[in-house]
Amino acid sequence: MIRLETHCHTKYSKDSMLPFSLLYLKCRLCHINWIAVTEHNNIQGAVEFKKYCEKKKSKLHVIIGEEIMTLDGEVIGLFLKEEIPAGLSCDETITRIQKQGGIVYVPHPYDEKRAKTVLKEECIKKNAFRIDCIECYNGRNISDTYEMKQTEIAGKYSLDFVIGSDAHTVWEIGRNYMMVNCIPDSPETFKQAIKCATFHKRECLKFSHKITKLVKLLRMLKKGNFNEIYRVIKKRFGRTM
């Protein structure tokens, strides 16, 4: 059996500082065989981590992905060859994934805490025939309600289920993964693998959300984006400053 972990982020995402060395070590310790790296709006992290693993002649294999912010919420593309820009419509983003022969993957289809990034259900309904899989569980869900609603949405449109770790920190790697019985080395074998996958999931590490907020703040400080820092603090404390 093969351990497959999907929907992971590294230092190439705006809300993660996870270095390749720690990601690689944790994957090896947790016996992860295949990992889908899906940075926010870029494939560079996945491409570079794939090279990193290949240099080590490792048994850890990398699927190149991207978590793309569309006008209607986020969509993940797997097995990509070219980066897809953010800010396109859901329809256009899916079309571009398919033109590359990639997997169309819907992350966290329901999450009150991340409502701005959740793909609108009307888009899921409209494109159900073009969607290859949808998360019925996300490792960053802070409530069981989210899992139940996600499973309901997946079932409503007869979509294949996956679980995504959505890992941004080293502590989250290896907690949420799928056991599959065929090597997911292409879009075709990936789709075959998830149809008979066994899910291994664990509750959200709530402190991980605080870490990503801190990472965003540190990156804004580094860039000198003080107006944005002011806006975030003002929103957080809910008062005029």
Side-chain angles (χ1 to χ4, degrees), residues 2 34 61 79 180-186 188-190 192-193:
I2 296 163
W34 283 80
H61 304 279
F79 297 97
V180 298
N181 57 16
C182 61
I183 298 173
D185 58 354
S186 69
E188 292 71 26
T189 54
F190 181 91
Q192 180 184 344

Side-chain angles (χ1 to χ4, degrees), residues 6-7 105 135-140 162-167 176 178:
T6 62
H7 192 172
Y105 174 133
E135 284 181 355
C136 64
Y137 183 77
N138 179 283
R140 289 202 148 200
V162 292
I163 64 170
S165 73
D166 204 358
N176 294 279
M178 293 173 280

Side-chain angles (χ1 to χ4, degrees), residues 97-114:
I97 294 170
Q98 291 187 321
K99 281 183 178 179
Q100 297 186 43
I103 292 287
V104 179
Y105 174 133
V106 176
H108 44 72
Y110 174 83
D111 189 334
E112 290 178 357
K113 295 294 183 180
R114 294 179 282 179

Side-chain angles (χ1 to χ4, degrees), residues 27 39 65 185 194:
C27 284
E39 311 289 12
D185 58 354
I194 63 174

